[in-house]
Amino acid sequence: MTEHLPVSARALRRVPLVGRREELRLLAGHVTGARARDGQGGAVLLTGEPGIGKTRLLDRLAGTCPEHRVVGIAGVRSEAQLGFTALHRLLRPFLGGLDTLPPPQREALRAAFGLAPGAADRYLAGLAALTLLTGAASVRPLLALVDDVQWLDPESADVLAFVGRCLHGDAVALVLAGRDDHDAPGPFDGIPVLSLTGLPPADARDLLAANSAGRLDPAVADRIAAETGGNPLALLRLTRTLTAEQLSGTAPLPAALPVPGPLRAHLLRRFRALPAETRTLLLVMAAAAPQESAERWRAAGYLGIPAHAADAAMSAGILTREHATGFRHPVARSAVYWGAEAADRRLVHAALAAVTDPVRAPDRRAWHRAEATVGPDAEVAGELEAAARHARAGAGPAAQAAFLFRAAELSPTERVPRFLAAARAHLVLGNPASAQAALDRAETELGPGDALLRARVRQTRTRVDLYLARLTGLPARLLDAARSVAESDAPLARRLLIEGLAAAVVGHGGTDTTTPYEFAAAVLASPALRPTATAPADLLLRGLAARLHDDYPSAVPLLRRALQAFGNAEFGSESSGTDTFGSTESESKESGSEPSGTGAFGSTESGGEAFGCEEEPGGDGVPLAVLALFAAEDVWDDVGGRAACTRLTGHGRDTGALGALQTALMVQALWDVRAGRFGAARAGFEEAAELAAAMDLPPHGPAQQIELLAWSGREAETRAAAAEITQVWVKQHGNDDFGDRARSCLAVLETSLGRHPQALACAREAMEKDRPGTGTRVLHEVVEAGVRVGDHRAAKQALARLEERAAVSGTPWARGLLARCRALMADDDHAEAYYAESVELLDRTGIVTEAARSRLLFGEWLWRRRRRGLARDHLRTAHRMFAGMGAVAFAERARAELAATGEQAPTGTAQADRALTPREREVARLAAGGVMNADIAVRLFISVSTVEYHLSKVFRKLGITSRRQLTSALDAEARLP
């Protein structure tokens, strides 16, 4: 059964397919793999130049899969500004199952299709599409064909790319086809590509011979094949353009064949040979929405063009005879439209605007009016702005950006706000280049008295810089912008300040005009600061500013309250009426700012690669999970840090804010590393990487996992990750915080291997910079390494700072590390009590790695004093802890010490994790907790059939037969490295 196949595919069925045997074999294998549900299905992208045969291959594939339900669409250029239009056409056969979707997915898809109010989240819409397609495939295998992907609206393209990356173990084969695009990354990056080139000479000759009425001279065939590059459409066109005498070799060929270059030129020659009224009719058809056939004919009537004007186009082979409003080849639509004179295009757009229903299709009418307008027109600009508001609530950011940019161009006044709004929509879309272009236009319109608008432009340009990981100079620019609006728009000023503060923390050494200390002083003196506000970001702003201003005692209570606020707040509550900073909606409106309307974790997808994520919670361009991590590390608050991260992760899952979730998962994985749950940490990193791939973000490399690699004792991988961080993140992007984190991880690795001079060098550099988070967390590393190499000055300096800060923090984590460091520097009369205190305190925390280190150091100290029995107890426990978590080097160090006491411990660490992948482990964990398959699919952003696929592998690998056995099986598995 074939539904909604592209018109071009149906029209070309009568042309026999020649060659392409290898391509057909690969495509058939792809479809067969999906049907077999063996994980080999998913998506594949056919690419090639116009006319190369992509559509013909899709058509053949559709006709050779009788076991499949086949659905298909083709992208249409004139629909590219109308968000989710192509997706709606593809999913139309499956919309009967809309009510069976999980509520967040159902509402997102309804909003996308204009069936419900509200903004349409692309990723939730993608999950809904995935669920509908895989649900249909559970009844009968599904083959979905999407042609001309280069003309899909961006929202549909993003959703289909998301679906393609998420298909795994499903009876769904998605085959996409589109033109080559070597100039820029696209939404389908990461999907396997099958590139089509021209037919080989032998196949090209066969195609020419099969479509030539008379004899075909071999030399003529060879020349045609060579000059067309084997392009099948060019070959077919030439059999109809050249005379029988030329094809047979009895008459000379022209010096230049009619189609030596772009097909567009060839089509334009045929178009321009048609009667004037036929050319106008074709231009109407090219400019109109393809699905609006009646609208086309009304516009033609409005222009006085009779219906029989289509006859000449059908006779010329430009329109199909089966569908008089369908172009035979997709290139023809583009060639006709862009080959026409600008005045003629405006004429047909005016006609289309005149006949388009302003109630049923106001957005399309506004666009046609805009395309028919030359020069400023306030009325048309207003219509476009209204269309942009409608697009924001439904169609999506691509249409919103297009409408706003055009509205700005046509505006006699209010041009800057519209260009600025267009730039923000482009950032939501993940298009920083277009955002920069809109900002450039906005800046040219700014006047000397536009301080507020200038600040907003700077803020948005900063988000572009964050998206592109350009940190140098950001704090100074943001500080200038914040100062300019501190009195007139305090909420905007606070957003600018926290973005600048985050850039100062992360960049630090990469900022060249404003030091972190200077920035912090400016924050604390800003009239926009609210000293009594209790919103999480307000507390973070004041706390981090105090910390950078060398006022650690004042920073600690603010940062701990911020962590508590993250863990306890009802994020996203409509009743709260506050934004990330706790600003009321009325306050924002009075100041001209834009309230987020989504509480503490509203998501704008504004970008921020430099901070580790692309979708920013709070609408502030700052990933709050990362700032919460800095705060928790700096005050040694593992309880508050873990709670805040858990809340952020849960919010990301609940709302489908995948960018924020991806960042929160990486932070959660770090807490799992410190808790000694290396298997869970790997699962978290793996899920974050899968989300990054699904969103088409840069792939995650070993750099993101350097802390796990260091504690695991994987020396070569840790050093490679550190080198990548230095070369890419520090030198290219100015992210010096990542460099300090790499140095702290190298210090852990060097200490585990007994290379204390190297450990001291790494830790001391991070300590001297004293960045929030790492500057505090490396103090105990400096003390231990300094004692081991005899650098007591360094050890005393670190201990003094540790004593000062631990006294203020007061957490078991801080006091436990302080007691251990005091033990390392104490005489024998006092060391034992300090070691015992350290073990007792750290055992009360979730920082299991450090608790094990204290036991190891205590055991080593006891053995040096010949207290064999008690030394064995601590060394045995330390070895069991390290081996159980997978800390290979530390476990070996504990084993060697234990052996020196005369007790043998097993070498190595625990056995491998029974070959469960991180995703399989996560699915199994949720299933063991009683979560149903449908809910697992929603939480992990995969399909139900993919959940079933993973569970079947889990059962087989663990040797179990029911969910009741999962808990006991996973208890053992979770303890493995």
Side-chain angles (χ1 to χ4, degrees):
M1 178 174 63
T2 303
E3 305 169 53
H4 306 295
L5 272 181
V7 169
S8 52
R10 294 195 295 270
L12 289 173
R13 281 179 177 164
R14 61 180 176 275
V15 179
L17 181 67
V18 175
R20 302 298 191 198
R21 287 171 288 276
E22 179 62 15
E23 291 89 344
L24 284 170
R25 184 188 67 79
L26 292 172
L27 288 173
H30 172 73
V31 175
T32 302
R35 186 177 68 247
R37 303 172 68 91
D38 63 357
Q40 301 303 312
V44 66
L45 174 64
L46 285 174
T47 65
E49 66 184 18
I52 204 66
K54 304 180 293 294
T55 299
R56 191 67 187 86
L57 275 176
L58 294 186
D59 183 52
R60 170 58 68 88
L61 187 63
T64 55
C65 298
E67 305 92 345
H68 287 70
R69 180 180 183 180
V70 182
V71 296
I73 61 168
V76 178
R77 183 165 189 159
S78 61
E79 289 185 345
Q81 307 295 345
L82 304 176
F84 297 106
T85 302
L87 182 68
H88 183 264
R89 287 193 283 122
L90 181 67
L91 295 184
R92 191 180 300 163
F94 312 109
L95 292 182
L98 193 61
D99 290 339
T100 66
L101 294 174
Q105 297 180 21
R106 181 177 65 245
E107 294 311 310
L109 202 59
R110 284 172 56 82
F113 295 161
L115 302 176
D121 184 280
R122 285 176 292 165
Y123 297 119
L124 280 176
L127 289 170
L130 178 67
T131 304
L132 285 177
L133 293 174
T134 55
S138 66
V139 178
R140 182 181 180 185
L142 181 66
L143 172 60
L145 307 174
V146 183
D147 201 0
D148 293 324
V149 297
Q150 73 276 2
W151 288 330
L152 295 177
D153 60 275
E155 287 82 6
S156 294
D158 284 343
V159 167
L160 290 173
F162 179 89
V163 168
R165 296 186 192 100
C166 291
L167 287 172
H168 184 77
D170 301 291
V172 179
L174 175 62
V175 182
L176 308 150
R179 295 182 183 178
D180 288 320
D181 183 3
H182 303 294
D183 298 329
F188 300 103
D189 287 356
I191 289 178
V193 173
L194 176 58
S195 296
L196 296 184
T197 56
L199 294 174
D203 289 338
R205 287 194 297 270
D206 289 345
L207 182 62
L208 285 168
N211 290 276
S212 298
R215 190 181 75 86
L216 179 67
D217 181 75
V220 170
D222 288 343
R223 181 183 166 189
I224 293 173
E227 293 197 21
T228 60
N231 184 295
L233 185 61
L235 293 168
L236 291 171
R237 293 289 184 257
L238 285 174
T239 63
R240 300 163 190 170
T241 302
L242 299 175
T243 66
E245 291 77 12
Q246 288 173 321
L247 290 171
S248 65
T250 58
L253 291 173
L257 292 179
V259 196
L263 290 175
R264 179 178 296 175
H266 172 65
L267 292 167
L268 277 177
R269 283 193 292 272
R270 302 178 66 191
F271 166 69
R272 288 166 180 160
L274 295 171
E277 64 180 12
T278 302
R279 294 198 304 271
T280 304
L281 177 62
L282 288 176
L283 187 54
V284 170
M285 293 177 179
Q291 73 274 17
E292 297 297 333
S293 177
E295 196 173 275
R296 299 179 185 186
W297 289 117
R298 287 198 303 270
Y302 183 88
L303 293 171
I305 300 172
H308 62 72
D311 293 344
M314 287 189 287
S315 298
I318 295 177
L319 295 181
T320 63
R321 294 187 179 276
E322 294 89 344
H323 297 81
T325 57
F327 286 92
R328 183 175 295 278
H329 190 275
V331 170
R333 181 185 303 278
S334 175
V336 166
Y337 186 82
W338 294 109
E341 296 292 334
D344 293 334
R345 290 199 299 269
R346 290 196 296 271
L347 176 70
V348 299
H349 278 295
L352 286 163
V355 301
T356 300
D357 188 337
V359 176
R360 190 175 69 87
D363 298 354
R364 196 161 63 244
R365 181 177 183 272
W367 187 256
H368 284 310
R369 288 198 69 191
E371 292 299 284
T373 301
V374 178
D377 189 313
E379 182 182 344
V380 175
E383 280 194 37
L384 285 168
E385 189 170 47
R389 288 194 295 270
H390 185 262
R392 181 180 182 182
Q400 181 189 5
F403 288 138
L404 286 168
F405 194 89
R406 187 68 175 127
E409 289 182 318
L410 294 178
S411 298
T413 59
E414 300 297 320
R415 293 166 65 87
V416 173
R418 286 168 174 166
F419 278 127
L420 181 57
R424 289 174 173 170
H426 279 302
L427 275 180
V428 172
L429 192 60
N431 189 349
S434 295
Q436 286 188 113
L439 290 171
D440 290 343
R441 294 288 297 273
E443 285 192 328
T444 63
E445 303 284 342
L446 286 169
D450 295 333
L452 182 57
L453 284 174
R454 192 177 300 278
R456 291 182 183 172
V457 170
R458 286 182 184 177
Q459 182 194 28
T460 308
R461 193 174 289 283
T462 297
R463 292 183 179 179
V464 174
D465 290 335
L466 291 175
Y467 189 96
L468 299 173
R470 300 184 304 213
L471 291 174
T472 302
L474 278 187
R477 297 203 303 271
L478 286 165
L479 182 57
D480 287 344
R483 283 170 170 162
S484 69
V485 297
E487 300 288 351
S488 59
D489 193 336
L492 175 59
R494 290 193 293 274
R495 290 185 177 88
L496 291 163
L497 289 173
I498 198 167
E499 288 180 4
L501 194 64
V505 170
V506 173
H508 217 182
T511 58
D512 50 17
T513 56
T514 301
T515 68
Y517 183 91
E518 291 169 343
F519 195 97
V523 170
L524 295 172
S526 173
L529 204 66
R530 298 188 302 177
T532 60
T534 58
D538 269 306
L539 294 166
L540 274 177
L541 178 61
R542 301 202 310 275
L544 288 174
R547 169 67 171 83
L548 287 175
H549 202 248
D550 295 335
D551 189 0
Y552 188 84
S554 297
V556 170
L558 290 168
L559 294 178
R560 293 192 70 176
R561 286 170 59 200
L563 294 172
Q564 184 180 15
F566 278 129
N568 295 336
E570 290 296 324
F571 303 123
S573 171
E574 294 181 4
S575 61
S576 66
T578 60
D579 65 10
T580 310
F581 286 91
S583 308
T584 65
E585 187 172 353
S586 60
E587 176 187 354
S588 297
K589 286 180 178 178
E590 288 172 6
S591 65
S593 186
E594 295 182 6
S596 68
T598 53
F601 292 98
S603 176
T604 64
E605 292 184 66
S606 63
E609 237 178 290
F611 293 119
C613 77
E614 183 162 312
E615 183 180 50
E616 307 309 330
D620 302 314
V622 179
L624 295 179
V626 174
L627 294 183
L629 176 68
F630 292 163
E633 290 176 337
D634 210 51
V635 301
W636 289 293
D637 186 356
D638 60 303
V639 176
R642 168 70 82 166
C645 184
T646 299
R647 187 67 182 87
L648 282 157
T649 304
H651 178 80
R653 293 196 191 281
D654 293 342
T655 62
L658 299 194
L661 173 60
Q662 186 247 354
T663 304
L665 284 169
M666 288 193 291
V667 173
Q668 182 171 274
L670 293 178
W671 289 116
D672 283 331
V673 171
R674 296 160 192 178
R677 301 178 66 243
F678 290 7
R682 281 196 298 273
F685 283 126
E686 177 70 17
E687 185 178 357
E690 289 182 358
L691 286 178
M695 294 183 292
D696 198 24
L697 297 180
H700 282 199
Q704 306 292 343
Q705 302 187 36
I706 188 170
E707 188 167 334
L708 174 60
L709 294 172
W711 276 101
S712 299
R714 293 156 68 174
E715 182 179 1
E717 293 171 81
T718 305
R719 298 193 190 283
E724 177 189 339
I725 290 168
T726 300
Q727 292 300 318
V728 177
W729 292 97
V730 177
K731 292 184 177 180
Q732 294 181 23
H733 298 312
N735 190 335
D736 206 40
D737 173 74
F738 211 171
D740 276 357
R741 289 183 178 275
R743 285 183 278 274
S744 71
C745 293
L746 284 173
V748 170
L749 176 71
E750 303 291 9
T751 298
S752 72
L753 297 172
R755 299 170 182 164
H756 300 295
Q758 293 89 336
L760 178 60
C762 292
R764 175 183 270 169
E765 185 174 351
M767 183 190 78
E768 289 172 351
K769 293 182 179 178
D770 197 22
R771 192 185 313 275
T774 50
T776 297
R777 211 161 55 85
V778 298
L779 294 175
H780 65 283
E781 303 288 356
V782 175
V783 172
E784 181 174 348
V787 168
R788 297 300 189 195
V789 302
D791 190 339
H792 295 288
R793 179 179 179 182
K796 288 179 179 178
Q797 180 184 7
L799 179 61
R801 188 179 295 175
L802 180 57
E803 287 177 327
E804 174 190 340
R805 293 184 179 177
V808 178
S809 167
T811 66
W813 184 8
R815 291 159 51 212
L817 292 177
L818 174 60
R820 186 169 86 202
C821 290
R822 282 173 168 168
L824 284 165
M825 299 188 69
D827 55 32
D828 286 355
D829 292 338
H830 299 93
E832 182 173 358
Y834 284 137
Y835 275 127
E837 181 185 2
S838 176
V839 168
E840 188 272 331
L841 286 168
L842 289 174
D843 277 349
R844 289 160 47 188
T845 73
I847 313 299
V848 179
T849 49
E850 295 299 343
R853 279 181 71 175
S854 286
R855 290 183 182 278
L856 173 61
L857 289 169
F858 194 9
E860 290 174 339
W861 184 87
L862 289 166
W863 172 236
R864 301 294 181 271
R865 275 90 189 144
R866 301 303 178 194
R867 297 172 62 181
R868 184 189 306 265
L870 193 55
R872 282 178 173 175
D873 290 342
H874 285 289
L875 290 171
R876 189 184 308 117
T877 302
H879 177 267
R880 185 179 68 250
M881 293 172 72
F882 283 131
M885 69 180 72
V888 175
F890 278 114
E892 176 56 24
R893 182 171 142 186
R895 188 201 63 78
E897 287 290 321
L898 191 59
T901 69
E903 180 176 322
Q904 295 300 315
T907 59
T909 59
Q911 297 300 311
D913 59 359
R914 307 187 192 186
L916 285 187
T917 66
R919 175 47 57 91
E920 289 166 356
R921 191 180 301 114
E922 183 67 11
V923 169
R925 183 186 65 80
L926 291 171
V931 182
M932 303 302 293
N933 287 2
D935 295 325
I936 294 174
V938 171
R939 294 193 64 183
L940 298 184
F941 305 100
I942 56 179
S943 66
V944 174
S945 55
T946 301
V947 173
E948 295 167 351
Y949 170 76
H950 286 310
L951 279 178
S952 67
K953 294 179 70 177
V954 168
F955 279 32
R956 183 173 69 252
K957 290 177 179 181
L958 298 185
I960 59 178
T961 58
S962 75
R963 290 184 179 231
R964 290 190 298 274
Q965 298 170 286
L966 275 172
T967 300
S968 57
L970 290 176
D971 281 345
E973 192 272 342
R975 292 192 293 270
L976 298 178

